[in-house]
Amino acid sequence: MKAFLVTGGAGFIGSNFIPYYLEANPDHIVVNLDLLTYAGDLRNLAELNGHERYEFVKGDILDKNLLNELFAKHQFVGVFHFAAESHVDNSISGPSAFVETNINGTFNLLEVARNHWMDGPGQLKAGKEDHRFLHVSTDEVYGSLGDTGLFTEETPYAPNSPYSASKASSDFLVRSYHHTYGMNVVTTNCSNNYGPKQHNEKLIPTIIRKAISGEPIPIYGDGKNVRDWLYVLDHCKGIEIAFVKGLSGETYNIGGKNERNNLYIVDKICSLLDDKKPSSSGKSYKELISFVTDRPGHDRRYAIDATKIENELGWQADEDFESGIEKTVDWYLNIFG
């Protein structure tokens, strides 16, 4: 069986990806390397306990010796690189962790993969010709849009937070390893993900958690910041398609074509909760909405043009926002009660 390394697989997107990937690829083994920082939780992968084609390793992508040991032991034919510090607020208060993990960690992975798969620039080792490194990134590297327009793969990078700057740096490192060494790499840049297993600090879980606890629901600024929302399983399918069908050295934007502002998001979730779990007060959860001081450097609008991955690789999102958010609310109600 072929072995694949997934970094950060105990986080939100990774923990949705691994069960999906193992079911879709019955002849593949997945090794999940995760440091289990606050954002990683093995309970997200409880369904894989005892799975014969899955192995968890607690470790850091900054630990080059560990990476070399894992590559030597498992002879990985592919890497899915999810591991990243990803919360913008945290990058504002403590940017150094983002530089270490997102830039230096990505560099370590690229170096170890290159040394195990290649003899030199343009020289792949025998039997390593199809080995591939897939780097998972974000649309935040493109900066902020006005009222119109979409991010394409040709949009110039203009990161506005330490988080997005660190991801932009990692994207450039991946690109450089293709153009300098001929390494087989693919990068995906996604819009805002939502769905099961997302960390409580993120917008949608926060809205649900605060509402059912009867606490004020915090919304930044005027609530009119717009994001393109992508259901996490649709993203996972796009990552797999990009890995299998994508051209080496290419970048593919993955977006849900679901532009919604935060006011719409909170209103929709509160309406669903009003129907599914009415408040004991008899009032709508919407009365808990509370506007708070905006985040520094808060980008106004993101929106992705996913035409390239749709037309060239055949990917399409299965969920629209209305179907995906109802599934998401149902999942969190099971968790939060």
Side-chain angles (χ1 to χ4, degrees), residues 2 11 62 72 74 93 106 120 144 148 165 197 210 232 243 254 267 272 291 312 316 327 330:
K2 295 180 178 180
L62 292 170
H74 296 282
S93 60
T106 300
S144 184
T148 61
K197 305 180 182 180
K210 294 287 189 179
V232 65
F243 184 91
I254 307 177
D267 185 81
L272 287 169
F291 294 95
E312 295 184 12
Q316 293 283 339
K327 291 180 178 180
D330 287 342

Side-chain angles (χ1 to χ4, degrees), residues 91 98-99 102-103 138 140-141 157-172:
S91 81
F98 291 73
V99 172
N102 298 353
I103 301 176
T138 172
E140 295 194 37
V141 299
Y157 276 29
N160 291 322
S161 71
Y163 161 61
S164 56
S166 68
K167 288 299 289 185
S169 298
S170 67
D171 292 3
F172 289 147

Side-chain angles (χ1 to χ4, degrees), residues 21-38:
Y21 188 80
L22 286 170
E23 183 175 355
N25 298 277
D27 58 341
H28 290 181
I29 295 169
V30 168
V31 177
N32 173 17
L33 175 64
D34 197 300
L35 187 57
L36 296 181
T37 61
Y38 79 96

Side-chain angles (χ1 to χ4, degrees), residues 252-267:
Y252 297 92
N253 283 350
I254 307 177
K257 296 182 179 178
N258 291 302
E259 285 189 58
R260 303 288 191 278
N261 68 31
N262 291 345
L263 289 177
Y264 180 93
I265 300 295
V266 68
D267 185 81

Side-chain angles (χ1 to χ4, degrees), residues 15-82:
S15 65
N16 278 277
F17 176 78
I18 293 174
Y20 160 76
Y21 188 80
L22 286 170
E23 183 175 355
N25 298 277
D27 58 341
H28 290 181
I29 295 169
V30 168
V31 177
N32 173 17
L33 175 64
D34 197 300
L35 187 57
L36 296 181
T37 61
Y38 79 96
D41 192 335
L42 287 181
R43 290 175 295 181
N44 289 340
L45 293 162
E47 64 208 91
L48 297 181
N49 289 342
H51 196 294
E52 62 181 4
R53 293 185 289 111
Y54 169 74
E55 178 183 339
F56 172 72
V57 176
K58 182 178 181 180
D60 195 338
I61 57 174
L62 292 170
D63 186 344
K64 208 166 185 179
N65 289 333
L66 174 61
L67 293 177
N68 275 309
E69 290 172 9
L70 291 174
F71 269 77
K73 176 181 177 181
H74 296 282
Q75 295 296 308
F76 297 123
V77 302
V79 174
F80 294 94
H81 179 33
F82 293 90

Side-chain angles (χ1 to χ4, degrees), residues 228-283:
D228 175 12
W229 292 92
L230 175 65
Y231 190 65
V232 65
L233 186 57
D234 284 329
H235 185 201
C236 293
K237 294 174 182 177
I239 289 168
E240 182 189 25
I241 288 173
F243 184 91
V244 174
K245 296 183 178 180
L247 297 179
S248 182
E250 289 294 311
T251 295
Y252 297 92
N253 283 350
I254 307 177
K257 296 182 179 178
N258 291 302
E259 285 189 58
R260 303 288 191 278
N261 68 31
N262 291 345
L263 289 177
Y264 180 93
I265 300 295
V266 68
D267 185 81
K268 179 67 176 180
I269 292 173
C270 287
S271 293
L272 287 169
L273 291 174
D274 286 341
D275 290 338
K276 294 173 180 290
K277 188 180 176 63
S279 171
S280 59
S281 70
K283 299 179 181 180

